[in-house]
Amino acid sequence: MSEDLKQVVQDFNAYLERIQAIGYAASMVHFDMSTGAPKGGNESRAKRLGVLSSEWFTLYTSKEMGEFLRILGEHKDELSDVAYRTYWLVNRNYQKNIKIPKEFDREMSETTTMANIHWEDAKRAGDFAAFAPWLEKNIDLAKRYANYLNPGAATRQDMTPYDVLLDEYEPGMTMDILDEYFAKLRERIVPLLKRITDKNEALDTAFMNRKVPVETQRKLSELMMDKIGYNRDCGQLRESEHPFSISFGKYDCRITTHYHEEEFVSNIFSVLHECGHAMYEQNKMDEIADTVLDFGCSNGIHESQSRFYENIIGRSMAFWDNCFDEMKAVLGSDFDDMTKEGFFRAINMTSPTLIRIEADELTYSLHIMIRYELEKLIFNGSADTKDLPRLWNEKVKEYLGIDVPNDKLGVLQDVHWSDASFGSFPSYSLGSAYAAQFYYAMKKEIDIDSSLANGDVKAITAWLADKVHKFGSMRRPEELLVNATGEKFNPDYYTRYLEEKYTKIYGI
Amino acid sequence: MSEDLKQVVQDFNAYLERIQAIGYAASMVHFDMSTGAPKGGNESRAKRLGVLSSEWFTLYTSKEMGEFLRILGEHKDELSDVAYRTYWLVNRNYQKNIKIPKEFDREMSETTTMANIHWEDAKRAGDFAAFAPWLEKNIDLAKRYANYLNPGAATRQDMTPYDVLLDEYEPGMTMDILDEYFAKLRERIVPLLKRITDKNEALDTAFMNRKVPVETQRKLSELMMDKIGYNRDCGQLRESEHPFSISFGKYDCRITTHYHEEEFVSNIFSVLHECGHAMYEQNKMDEIADTVLDFGCSNGIHESQSRFYENIIGRSMAFWDNCFDEMKAVLGSDFDDMTKEGFFRAINMTSPTLIRIEADELTYSLHIMIRYELEKLIFNGSADTKDLPRLWNEKVKEYLGIDVPNDKLGVLQDVHWSDASFGSFPSYSLGSAYAAQFYYAMKKEIDIDSSLANGDVKAITAWLADKVHKFGSMRRPEELLVNATGEKFNPDYYTRYLEEKYTKIYGI
């Protein structure tokens, strides 16, 4: 790099720090809002966030930014790896941001805010018709958004508007890949689930609903965080309505949980899940700490890490071989009769249910598949909005074998369509599928079960850190998969994992 | 107002919102930092705060800001009250900020950061000599700072550099006023304290140190917040190392406390004190909510409100006539033998002690007086830095009648000199004195004792809200005093209050 270019890189980084400081502060306000901020301040808070967002956007789309990117683009071959990836990532966002007119951004924000309010009311009342006009507005907005990003999409075969939306949440993801993926799930998992439900096995899991006071559950949270290896000096556990994780850079990655007194297991798996997200953020290489690359690379890869720690580790017998007695000691004498085997069966019980976020490991992706199929129908124009509840219910019957009693427990259950975040659902399922692909690659190098039984999660984390975590946003999802597993996304691993696991557990 | 001027006011307010959003976010980061943020993120957090502070400063001192203020200044007689006060406040800060060179600001920040580290070490070791060179640097910085703000101060009789510093914390406050104030304290309170200590009364207060679990103390916090009338929908109680309050605007005013298991009273008065700060912020008129006027007007007035709720209300017999039984019910059977009278005497016990922040209501201001006298000697050049420990110890002996065993418990105890915040101490004591002046004015209109005995703090708060709280930063401290009490600051009320209270309690 020439001295001149070095200076440009330095000035560019200083400029990015201004954007990042505003983003950091806005995240802090969001975190505060979700962890107990006084309701009275909601309106002021929304106003402040609006101003911060506008400051962020102004800096991100400024002439000065354009000029930095122009110069760096001309010299991209001379840049260091980190400098190049910084340019690459910022340029991608810049090219996107400058395509969105400010007025559209405001229209989007106003409409989705209103749509969200109407969705909440409609959901409460189970009244889809009340939400339908707002859903239509949101669909229209999403189509226009896709058109701004990729004006040719509507008329081209290679990238449809829905592809544009998918790419927003999972860079590189397309309908072609997802069609193949979900076809495989339909073909392999739907019949597997049917074989299990047909067996109609009766399990006594009443102990799972015994009351466990919040104070005791807090101790379980600590046990889980320490067992899984979450670095609490660079993190924090808080409480919120719905569990989530949030990163303020690799040295400050926080998680939240929610305690249900009569469902202590809910907290255990929330903590393991959110620790997975947070450990991904904590294990990035020091070189990219606090830079724009200091974030996980996509929703799908992020979810792959949370699902790895929650399901592949957290629902394995080997993990509980190590932890069960310690958990039981915390739970106390009320749980004297609970056996390790009974607990293991209970946390791996599968049965079709109506609500996605409460679904078990096997049925979860089927919920996503239904959402994906509906979104495809919406965006290729073959479904009327008014038919969506019926289509939802039909698919639930077909894949899960159960009846949907009302739209509250059906098509209205999830917030995403009220936010116009079409295309985001698939990444939840891709996470589990990526996790399985990582799992089989890891198994070639590490004896996972004996590591877990010995309480050595570190060896597993070291593998993930080396292949995935350390890169932050320096690699695209596909690059990470190839780097870690030697091949592109391959859905076979996921169906194989589910089949091996559930045929063994259910003895079918 | 002409249409043109209206437009300027509107644009000015929109410009201010950008500054306020950054300030709001930075406060949120500070709040987070003091309420459990992971240590691992300290460095990144400091860096982000530095960038936010620089963004804030750039916007506040920009040409655009100067131009707004020039136009508004030319039309100030045409502005509405709120618009005029906004202009007045922003202009005051602007005129100050543009006088401080950016390099000086950085030097100040770097030197005080280092001085703070050296002070911590020196305090721990009780080694004043190790801190002395940094204290000298800080004194020099403070003198230069005063000189930037008021270049003539060093050579003028009417406003010395120390007056400039005092005005930073308490607008309008001067050494002339403080000399008279502290002279009165010396004359009236020092002998009063001596009469009490000479009486040498033995009180059994061992029950005050009985262990009260944190969970029980949390319930006491709730009782106190509700009794005092703190609006928890627009506020929140959290825990931190040292109790504090912080306002994010009138609809979000938070407090923190710290639980000491063997000193349950500490939390009670921390909560009442911080509620006083927060209620001042909550009771501002709606018209100024979220504007730059949506903050208390000075350190001294702020402290007057916290001290009013903590001491004048919280340590009165009438307040406990209403609350004592409820508090006792929360404390449980361990406190069966505690009587209301015994509790009242215990929370109003006075005895000279070494540490300012642990001092009781009567002796507190004497600690401040000593600090004030030393700061005067520092800034008029009649004390060598090396003599400060000796001077401190002599004054403690003279006013409090006790010996200082080492500098850790003496001159090194407080952080303020390591931050170069000379001139800030007096406002702590002024708060109590203002509170007493408000108290006697209020007494003419309200039967305070029967309101409290009836659990009706609202009547008292309504008086304070109407005379003080509602104005936020629209009035200077002196204007508020005259508005509420009909006269300027008059220290007689404070000495009268202390004499009446303590002669009665101690029967002297």
Side-chain angles (χ1 to χ4, degrees):
Chain A
M1 254 196 277
S2 71
E3 286 308 310
D4 278 0
L5 187 57
K6 266 187 198 156
Q7 187 61 48
V8 174
V9 170
Q10 199 176 314
D11 294 345
F12 180 54
N13 286 335
Y15 187 81
L16 292 179
E17 284 195 354
R18 296 175 58 197
I19 297 175
Q20 291 177 271
I22 291 170
Y24 176 94
S27 292
M28 193 60 80
V29 177
H30 277 288
F31 174 70
D32 175 71
M33 189 159 63
S34 307
T35 52
K39 284 199 172 48
N42 283 352
E43 223 173 291
S44 319
R45 198 172 293 124
K47 202 166 62 182
R48 301 291 188 219
L49 281 172
V51 177
L52 289 173
S53 159
S54 150
E55 292 290 308
W56 187 93
F57 196 83
T58 303
L59 284 171
Y60 219 118
T61 56
S62 71
K63 277 192 187 153
E64 201 175 346
M65 176 66 106
E67 190 55 17
F68 276 126
L69 294 170
R70 189 189 62 74
I71 299 171
L72 294 170
E74 282 169 9
H75 297 273
K76 60 185 171 195
D77 300 336
E78 303 159 48
L79 299 172
S80 71
D81 192 24
V82 168
Y84 170 70
R85 288 293 179 161
T86 303
Y87 156 77
W88 163 79
L89 187 74
V90 173
N91 190 51
R92 193 181 72 188
N93 294 332
Y94 170 80
Q95 298 300 343
K96 202 180 286 179
N97 288 333
I98 56 169
K99 286 178 184 161
I100 308 297
K102 256 201 157 172
E103 316 80 69
F104 178 80
D105 204 55
R106 193 164 42 243
E107 185 188 345
M108 183 95 168
S109 160
E110 284 168 8
T111 308
T112 53
T113 301
M114 289 310 296
N116 187 266
I117 293 167
H118 285 274
W119 165 75
E120 281 188 0
D121 291 344
K123 181 180 170 181
R124 206 173 299 117
D127 179 7
F128 181 80
F131 177 53
W134 293 96
L135 178 56
E136 277 170 17
K137 281 184 216 282
N138 278 358
I139 292 168
D140 175 60
L141 280 170
K143 284 180 179 165
R144 284 160 60 205
Y145 179 78
N147 197 50
Y148 282 126
L149 289 194
N150 195 337
T155 55
R156 276 159 52 189
Q157 284 303 315
D158 59 337
M159 196 160 193
T160 71
Y162 190 55
D163 283 318
V164 175
L165 299 175
L166 289 172
D167 186 79
E168 284 283 281
Y169 299 95
E170 194 62 15
M173 192 46 58
T174 65
M175 278 203 286
D176 288 346
I177 302 174
L178 288 176
D179 281 346
E180 194 192 325
Y181 167 60
F182 285 117
K184 193 134 286 171
L185 286 192
R186 240 186 329 266
E187 180 194 320
R188 309 275 287 273
I189 304 309
V190 174
L192 174 63
L193 176 64
K194 197 159 182 314
R195 281 162 63 205
I196 291 171
T197 49
D198 284 352
K199 202 184 169 191
N200 207 4
E201 189 180 31
L203 270 180
D204 178 14
T205 60
F207 63 86
M208 301 283 271
N209 302 109
R210 281 184 202 152
K211 186 175 169 174
V212 180
V214 169
E215 267 315 309
T216 309
Q217 294 203 43
R218 290 208 177 101
K219 286 184 196 132
L220 291 178
S221 300
E222 291 186 9
L223 179 65
M224 288 300 109
M225 290 190 284
D226 292 342
K227 284 286 173 189
I228 210 76
Y230 171 55
N231 178 356
R232 290 155 73 187
D233 287 337
C234 295
Q236 183 191 41
L237 172 69
R238 290 274 292 276
E239 289 165 40
S240 60
E241 190 56 32
H242 299 288
F244 66 91
S245 71
I246 187 168
S247 168
F248 298 100
K250 76 163 274 181
Y251 301 116
D252 185 355
C253 309
R254 308 185 188 181
I255 64 172
T256 73
T257 189
H258 189 94
Y259 295 107
H260 302 272
E261 290 213 317
E262 294 182 350
E263 213 181 330
F264 76 97
V265 164
S266 165
N267 165 59
I268 287 180
F269 290 102
S270 289
V271 167
L272 292 176
H273 181 98
E274 303 308 338
C275 279
H277 282 302
M279 286 163 70
Y280 177 14
E281 297 285 349
Q282 287 184 328
N283 289 323
K284 282 165 295 197
M285 59 178 92
D286 285 335
E287 204 182 345
I288 59 171
D290 294 335
T291 71
V292 294
L293 300 168
D294 189 1
F295 288 99
C297 85
S298 77
N299 283 18
I301 294 291
H302 236 300
E303 199 69 10
S304 75
Q305 299 311 295
S306 56
R307 295 285 174 187
F308 199 101
Y309 286 93
E310 175 195 353
N311 289 334
I312 296 182
I313 295 179
R315 294 185 204 269
S316 71
M317 183 54 113
F319 181 71
W320 293 105
D321 281 341
N322 174 267
C323 300
F324 184 76
D325 290 342
E326 285 170 79
M327 173 183 72
K328 223 172 136 170
V330 176
L331 285 169
S333 56
D334 281 0
F335 284 80
D336 275 350
D337 61 337
M338 180 175 74
T339 64
K340 188 172 69 181
E341 289 67 27
F343 176 74
F344 176 74
R345 286 300 312 269
I347 62 174
N348 284 299
M349 203 176 64
T350 182
S351 70
T353 50
L354 291 164
I355 301 296
R356 175 184 65 85
I357 59 167
E358 295 165 6
D360 58 61
E361 189 181 0
L362 183 67
T363 57
Y364 184 85
S365 283
L366 301 180
H367 289 259
I368 300 296
M369 183 170 80
I370 296 170
R371 208 48 94 163
Y372 172 69
E373 291 181 3
L374 290 195
E375 290 193 347
K376 270 180 63 179
L377 292 175
I378 290 171
F379 284 91
N380 70 18
S382 33
D384 263 356
T385 308
K386 68 169 174 16
D387 296 328
L388 292 169
R390 179 182 51 78
L391 291 166
W392 175 272
N393 298 354
E394 285 171 9
K395 287 176 186 293
V396 170
K397 185 70 180 176
E398 182 183 355
Y399 303 138
L400 293 163
I402 53 178
D403 294 310
V404 180
N406 58 54
D407 294 341
K408 182 180 174 177
L409 300 172
V411 73
L412 281 176
Q413 66 181 273
D414 278 311
V415 69
H416 306 58
W417 286 358
S418 84
D419 291 340
S421 44
F422 305 98
S424 70
F425 278 109
S427 50
Y428 291 127
S429 175
L430 284 170
S432 297
Y434 292 165
Q437 186 164 338
F438 290 133
Y439 170 68
Y440 286 104
M442 188 190 290
K443 260 181 102 162
K444 291 180 198 157
E445 300 173 32
I446 296 176
D447 184 343
I448 298 175
D449 279 352
S450 38
S451 292
L452 290 176
N454 294 327
D456 181 19
V457 180
K458 267 197 229 79
I460 293 166
T461 298
W463 192 95
L464 290 168
D466 187 52
K467 313 275 186 190
V468 181
H469 301 177
K470 73 175 181 192
F471 297 110
S473 284
M474 289 181 75
R475 303 277 182 274
R476 284 176 289 111
E478 189 182 287
E479 288 177 283
L480 286 177
L481 280 165
V482 172
N483 176 60
T485 71
E487 57 182 313
K488 290 186 180 185
F489 174 47
N490 179 349
D492 286 341
Y493 293 110
Y494 184 41
T495 50
R496 174 178 157 196
Y497 164 79
L498 290 173
E499 284 169 343
E500 285 180 1
K501 174 165 183 174
Y502 283 93
T503 52
K504 190 172 166 206
I505 289 175
Y506 278 89
I508 51 173
Chain B
M1 255 196 277
S2 70
E3 286 308 309
D4 279 0
L5 188 57
K6 265 188 197 156
Q7 188 60 50
V8 174
V9 169
Q10 200 176 314
D11 294 346
F12 180 54
N13 286 334
Y15 187 82
L16 291 179
E17 284 194 355
R18 296 174 59 195
I19 297 176
Q20 291 177 270
I22 291 171
Y24 176 95
S27 292
M28 192 60 80
V29 177
H30 277 289
F31 174 70
D32 175 72
M33 189 158 62
S34 307
T35 52
K39 284 199 172 49
N42 283 353
E43 223 173 290
S44 320
R45 198 172 292 125
K47 202 166 63 181
R48 300 290 188 220
L49 280 173
V51 176
L52 289 173
S53 158
S54 151
E55 291 291 307
W56 187 93
F57 195 83
T58 302
L59 284 170
Y60 219 118
T61 55
S62 71
K63 277 191 187 156
E64 202 174 346
M65 176 64 107
E67 189 56 16
F68 277 126
L69 293 170
R70 189 189 61 74
I71 299 170
L72 293 170
E74 283 170 9
H75 298 274
K76 60 185 172 195
D77 299 335
E78 302 158 50
L79 299 172
S80 71
D81 192 25
V82 168
Y84 170 70
R85 287 294 178 162
T86 303
Y87 156 76
W88 163 78
L89 188 73
V90 174
N91 190 50
R92 192 181 72 188
N93 294 332
Y94 170 80
Q95 298 301 345
K96 203 181 284 180
N97 287 334
I98 56 168
K99 286 178 186 162
I100 308 297
K102 257 201 156 171
E103 316 81 69
F104 178 79
D105 205 54
R106 193 164 42 244
E107 185 188 344
M108 183 94 167
S109 160
E110 284 168 7
T111 307
T112 54
T113 301
M114 289 310 295
N116 188 266
I117 292 167
H118 285 275
W119 165 75
E120 281 188 359
D121 291 344
K123 181 180 170 181
R124 204 172 303 116
D127 178 9
F128 181 81
F131 177 53
W134 292 97
L135 178 55
E136 277 171 17
K137 281 185 217 284
N138 279 357
I139 293 169
D140 176 60
L141 280 170
K143 285 180 179 165
R144 283 159 61 204
Y145 180 77
N147 197 51
Y148 282 126
L149 290 194
N150 196 337
T155 55
R156 275 162 51 190
Q157 284 304 314
D158 61 336
M159 196 160 194
T160 71
Y162 191 55
D163 283 317
V164 175
L165 299 175
L166 289 172
D167 186 79
E168 283 283 280
Y169 299 95
E170 194 62 14
M173 192 46 58
T174 64
M175 279 203 286
D176 287 346
I177 303 174
L178 288 177
D179 281 345
E180 194 192 324
Y181 167 60
F182 284 117
K184 193 136 287 171
L185 287 193
R186 239 186 329 265
E187 180 194 320
R188 308 275 287 273
I189 305 309
V190 174
L192 173 64
L193 176 65
K194 195 157 184 316
R195 280 162 64 205
I196 292 171
T197 49
D198 283 352
K199 201 182 172 195
N200 209 1
E201 188 180 31
L203 271 180
D204 178 14
T205 60
F207 63 87
M208 301 283 271
N209 301 110
R210 280 183 203 153
K211 187 175 168 176
V212 179
V214 170
E215 267 317 308
T216 308
Q217 294 203 43
R218 290 209 176 101
K219 286 183 196 134
L220 291 178
S221 301
E222 292 186 8
L223 178 66
M224 288 300 109
M225 290 189 286
D226 292 342
K227 285 286 174 189
I228 209 77
Y230 171 54
N231 179 354
R232 289 154 73 186
D233 287 337
C234 295
Q236 184 191 41
L237 172 68
R238 291 273 293 276
E239 289 165 37
S240 61
E241 190 56 32
H242 299 288
F244 66 93
S245 73
I246 187 168
S247 168
F248 297 101
K250 76 163 273 183
Y251 301 116
D252 186 355
C253 309
R254 308 185 188 180
I255 64 172
T256 73
T257 189
H258 190 92
Y259 296 107
H260 302 272
E261 291 212 316
E262 295 183 349
E263 212 181 332
F264 75 96
V265 164
S266 165
N267 166 58
I268 287 182
F269 289 101
S270 289
V271 167
L272 292 175
H273 181 96
E274 303 308 336
C275 278
H277 282 302
M279 288 164 69
Y280 176 14
E281 298 285 347
Q282 287 184 329
N283 288 324
K284 281 164 296 196
M285 59 178 92
D286 284 336
E287 204 181 345
I288 58 170
D290 293 336
T291 70
V292 293
L293 301 168
D294 189 1
F295 287 99
C297 86
S298 77
N299 283 19
I301 295 291
H302 236 300
E303 199 70 9
S304 76
Q305 300 310 294
S306 55
R307 295 286 174 188
F308 198 102
Y309 286 93
E310 176 195 352
N311 289 334
I312 295 182
I313 296 180
R315 294 185 204 267
S316 72
M317 183 53 112
F319 180 71
W320 293 104
D321 281 341
N322 174 269
C323 300
F324 184 75
D325 290 343
E326 286 169 79
M327 173 183 73
K328 223 172 138 171
V330 176
L331 285 169
S333 56
D334 281 2
F335 285 80
D336 275 351
D337 61 337
M338 180 173 75
T339 64
K340 188 171 67 180
E341 290 67 28
F343 177 74
F344 176 75
R345 286 302 311 269
I347 62 175
N348 283 299
M349 203 176 65
T350 181
S351 70
T353 49
L354 291 165
I355 302 296
R356 176 184 65 85
I357 59 168
E358 294 164 8
D360 57 62
E361 190 182 357
L362 183 66
T363 56
Y364 184 84
S365 283
L366 302 180
H367 288 259
I368 300 297
M369 182 170 80
I370 296 169
R371 206 52 90 162
Y372 172 68
E373 291 181 3
L374 291 195
E375 290 193 347
K376 270 180 63 179
L377 292 175
I378 289 171
F379 283 91
N380 71 19
S382 35
D384 261 356
T385 308
K386 67 170 174 18
D387 295 330
L388 291 170
R390 179 181 52 78
L391 291 166
W392 176 271
N393 297 355
E394 284 171 8
K395 286 175 189 292
V396 170
K397 184 70 181 176
E398 182 184 354
Y399 302 137
L400 293 163
I402 52 177
D403 294 309
V404 179
N406 58 55
D407 294 341
K408 181 179 175 178
L409 300 171
V411 73
L412 282 176
Q413 67 182 273
D414 278 311
V415 69
H416 306 58
W417 286 359
S418 85
D419 292 340
S421 44
F422 304 99
S424 70
F425 278 108
S427 50
Y428 292 126
S429 174
L430 284 170
S432 297
Y434 292 165
Q437 186 165 338
F438 290 133
Y439 170 69
Y440 285 104
M442 187 190 290
K443 259 181 104 161
K444 291 180 197 157
E445 298 173 35
I446 297 175
D447 183 343
I448 297 175
D449 278 353
S450 39
S451 292
L452 290 176
N454 294 327
D456 181 19
V457 180
K458 269 197 230 73
I460 293 165
T461 298
W463 191 95
L464 290 170
D466 187 53
K467 313 275 187 190
V468 182
H469 301 178
K470 72 175 181 191
F471 296 110
S473 285
M474 289 180 75
R475 302 279 180 274
R476 284 175 289 112
E478 189 182 287
E479 288 178 284
L480 286 176
L481 280 165
V482 172
N483 176 60
T485 72
E487 56 183 313
K488 290 185 178 186
F489 173 48
N490 179 349
D492 286 341
Y493 293 110
Y494 184 40
T495 49
R496 175 177 157 197
Y497 164 79
L498 290 173
E499 284 169 343
E500 284 179 2
K501 175 167 182 173
Y502 283 93
T503 52
K504 190 173 165 205
I505 289 175
Y506 278 89
I508 52 175

